[in-house]
Amino acid sequence: MDLRLSDEQQLMKETVRRIMVEKVAPRAAEIDQQAVFPWDVYELFKENEIFSLTVPEEYGGLDGKLLTLCIAIEEVGRICGSSTMILGNHSLGVGPIALWGNKAQKEKYLPGIGTGELKGSFALTEPNAGSDVGGMQTRAVLKGDRYIINGNKCFITHADIADVLTIFAKVAVDGVDKITAFLVDAKSKGITIGKKEDKMGLRGSTTCSINFEDLEVENHENNILGKVGDGFRIALDCLDKGRIMCGSQAIGIAQGALDVANPYTQTRIQFGKPLNHNQGVQFMLADMATEINAARALTRTAAWKYDNHEPDMVQFSAMSKLYATDMAMRVTTNAVQLLGGYGYSKEYPVERMMRDAKIFTIFEGANEIQRMVIGRALAK
């Protein structure tokens, strides 16, 4: 396993870094304050073909590797947590199609998603079905040649701007409920976008509820991913990939916080000397840098294992998400502490980074769930 970046990956990393520093950094605080989806950033990613990172090569992707995507996501996160959701959710939204779609589904959606012309969204979570996916209550009932879907989803990222939804619903088969994934045009009759969440962090990324009322989906193989009953497996496969991306988002935010805190301690004078001349501050910075690099190594290892279909990939996916997101909370909290009163002020970005970091320990499977996944793998 060689995790050194290829020339192409290094060039992509530098390109994303330059775009974020020059174009997005001046907007990052405003994106958070306005709590509105940043269409200018979306267009920036589109113009620079960054969405090509989210689809396989045969459908216009750059190289189809999760590792390459994670490297880009990390660079985005160093500047703006909300913007990581543009790239991360774009990949999660396309995930069910890329992993489980038939040839017709892939040809219909993947090229457009790779250019940014189409946007997908992953409609899984419900009020009573977060970590417990099996608790979902959305149902699809077959009537004639159509499925009729009724139910509600919540906390669905970018549901309000999506062109295509992957909707997970229960279908009764011989008296047994089986979760099934439906591919649906987001503008279909019977779909209503509900409450938009007023969130603590990632405020430039919209999170909404969705209501389905007698939504009709033709009983055709191109409207169902895999087969009836494959939905639970599809969701898990997508989340295994999503958790690694989640780790990269968290690492980017943590690195961004260190990028602010370290130079601050070099210029802030206290008791007649720079703050970083104090051993306690040096130790804190040393721990922050060490934990970031440890998380980066673990997450990139998980991405490499995903790309190479290693048998312990699921365990490493869970470990990378668990460690990186817990680390990001520690690092961003310490960054606020190092900046003191300024850290608590919106004048500096570390308070935003701390708010952004928190959600990563919750979504894509709460970290308590990751410990269960890891524990069960070890028990085998």
Side-chain angles (χ1 to χ4, degrees):
M1 180 171 60
D2 186 355
L3 293 179
R4 288 174 294 184
L5 304 190
S6 67
D7 291 342
E8 292 79 9
Q9 288 172 328
Q10 184 62 38
L11 177 60
M12 180 277 301
K13 180 178 185 290
E14 292 170 358
T15 300
V16 174
R17 176 67 176 164
R18 174 180 52 79
I19 291 169
M20 293 303 298
V21 170
E22 294 178 1
K23 302 293 186 180
V24 183
R27 281 264 292 130
E30 183 181 32
I31 290 170
D32 175 71
Q33 291 165 3
Q34 292 180 341
V36 175
F37 185 84
W39 283 105
D40 58 326
V41 179
Y42 188 92
E43 290 300 320
L44 192 63
F45 287 0
K46 187 176 172 182
E47 291 166 12
N48 288 274
E49 301 181 349
I50 294 174
F51 291 125
S52 67
L53 295 168
T54 66
V55 299
E57 281 185 283
E58 58 266 38
Y59 295 98
L62 178 64
D63 66 9
K65 293 181 179 179
L66 177 58
L67 177 58
T68 307
L69 175 59
C70 286
I71 292 165
I73 286 174
E74 188 180 318
E75 290 303 313
V76 175
R78 289 176 69 174
I79 300 299
C80 178
S82 291
S83 295
T84 68
M85 296 300 293
I86 296 176
L87 197 51
N89 193 69
H90 203 78
S91 181
L92 182 63
V94 73
I97 306 169
L99 293 173
W100 282 81
N102 60 35
K103 189 173 186 292
Q105 290 166 334
K106 290 179 178 180
E107 290 177 344
K108 180 178 180 179
Y109 294 109
L110 294 187
I113 289 174
T115 62
E117 295 297 328
L118 294 177
K119 302 171 291 298
S121 191
F122 188 79
L124 177 66
T125 302
E126 298 184 8
N128 292 311
S131 296
D132 178 17
V133 174
M136 73 171 57
Q137 297 176 11
T138 297
R139 301 196 67 84
V141 178
L142 184 60
K143 292 186 177 180
D145 63 347
R146 297 175 185 275
Y147 281 96
I148 309 300
I149 300 177
N150 284 279
N152 302 281
K153 301 290 181 179
C154 64
F155 301 132
I156 307 303
T157 303
H158 301 171
D160 56 332
I161 64 170
D163 298 299
V164 58
L165 296 172
T166 300
I167 301 171
F168 293 86
K170 285 183 175 178
V171 175
V173 180
D174 297 328
V176 179
D177 285 339
K178 294 187 176 182
I179 297 173
T180 301
F182 294 89
L183 207 51
V184 181
D185 183 333
K187 305 301 186 291
S188 298
K189 181 181 178 182
I191 297 177
T192 304
I193 302 301
K195 176 186 176 185
K196 177 183 173 182
E197 300 295 336
D198 186 5
K199 306 192 303 290
M200 177 173 75
L202 300 184
R203 292 178 55 77
S205 172
T206 53
T207 305
C208 308
S209 61
I210 314 177
N211 303 313
F212 308 117
E213 185 174 356
D214 294 334
L215 168 63
E216 296 185 8
V217 179
E218 186 179 353
N219 182 21
H220 188 279
E221 63 178 6
N222 289 341
N223 297 327
I224 297 174
L225 286 162
K227 302 185 297 295
V228 171
D230 284 340
F232 187 73
R233 184 66 257 171
I234 292 171
L236 291 184
D237 283 354
C238 293
L239 292 174
D240 286 337
K241 180 181 180 182
R243 286 164 180 168
I244 301 171
M245 291 190 293
C246 184
S248 295
Q249 291 173 281
I251 292 164
I253 292 170
Q255 184 66 61
L258 182 61
D259 290 345
V260 174
N262 188 38
Y264 177 87
T265 64
Q266 296 170 14
T267 58
R268 173 68 166 167
I269 305 299
Q270 289 288 279
F271 303 104
K273 59 183 179 182
L275 198 59
N276 73 340
H277 284 203
N278 294 283
Q279 190 180 67
V281 171
Q282 292 176 0
F283 283 6
M284 187 181 292
L285 290 166
D287 286 343
M288 292 162 71
T290 300
E291 288 195 62
I292 289 170
N293 279 288
R296 180 176 291 122
L298 178 57
T299 301
R300 290 187 181 179
T301 298
W304 183 90
K305 285 179 176 290
Y306 181 91
D307 288 332
N308 289 277
H309 310 289
E310 293 287 307
D312 57 354
M313 179 277 298
V314 172
Q315 179 182 350
F316 270 78
S317 170
M319 289 193 298
S320 65
K321 196 269 186 186
L322 169 66
Y323 185 78
T325 59
D326 278 347
M327 173 279 298
M329 273 309 301
R330 290 191 295 270
V331 167
T332 54
T333 301
N334 283 340
V336 171
Q337 188 71 18
L338 286 169
L339 269 67
Y342 291 115
Y344 200 68
S345 167
K346 292 185 183 294
E347 180 179 348
Y348 285 82
V350 289
E351 63 84 29
R352 165 170 50 86
M353 293 169 173
M354 185 178 75
R355 288 187 285 107
D356 287 347
K358 180 55 200 171
I359 189 58
F360 293 99
T361 69
I362 298 171
F363 66 13
E364 298 286 341
N367 281 4
E368 291 77 10
I369 297 297
Q370 307 315 312
R371 289 181 170 88
M372 290 172 59
V373 172
I374 298 163
R376 287 170 181 171
L378 293 172
K380 293 179 181 179

